[in-house]
Amino acid sequence: VETLGWQTANGDPVKNRDVIEQLDELLARHQVSWRKVRGHSGDPGNEWVDALANRAMDALARGGDGAAAQRHSVAPVFPID
């Protein structure tokens, strides 16, 4: 994305550029491997982040801070295959 001047393939500006740039900075400090997982297929990690997203959306719907719902969550440890 950055090599395209922060534009999509059809020339539109990239959405959430600020978030992508923050993620890129964090990724530079850590060793991360990505694995594509089909959503809602029973994968424990996917189910966990889906539950976190739902908690944040519920908090926002109640007029609260969606991020506050995540601050007290402890990430489970999943085996790496």
Side-chain angles (χ1 to χ4, degrees):
V1 174
E2 191 174 357
T3 59
L4 297 174
W6 292 101
Q7 294 180 340
T8 63
N10 65 4
D12 293 333
V14 172
K15 295 179 181 176
N16 300 317
R17 177 178 172 173
D18 58 330
V19 175
I20 295 169
E21 289 176 329
Q22 288 177 4
L23 178 61
D24 193 42
E25 283 181 32
L26 292 169
L27 290 172
R29 295 187 224 157
H30 303 278
Q31 183 178 1
V32 176
S33 61
W34 297 92
R35 182 173 58 117
K36 184 172 180 155
V37 177
R38 175 173 283 174
H40 307 288
S41 63
D43 180 84
N46 181 263
E47 298 297 330
W48 178 68
V49 296
D50 186 61
L52 288 178
N54 282 308
R55 283 175 47 191
M57 293 301 293
D58 291 344
L60 288 170
R62 290 189 304 271
D65 177 5
Q70 314 307 342
R71 286 203 241 336
H72 303 291
S73 297
V74 176
V77 176
F78 299 107
I80 299 173
D81 42 346

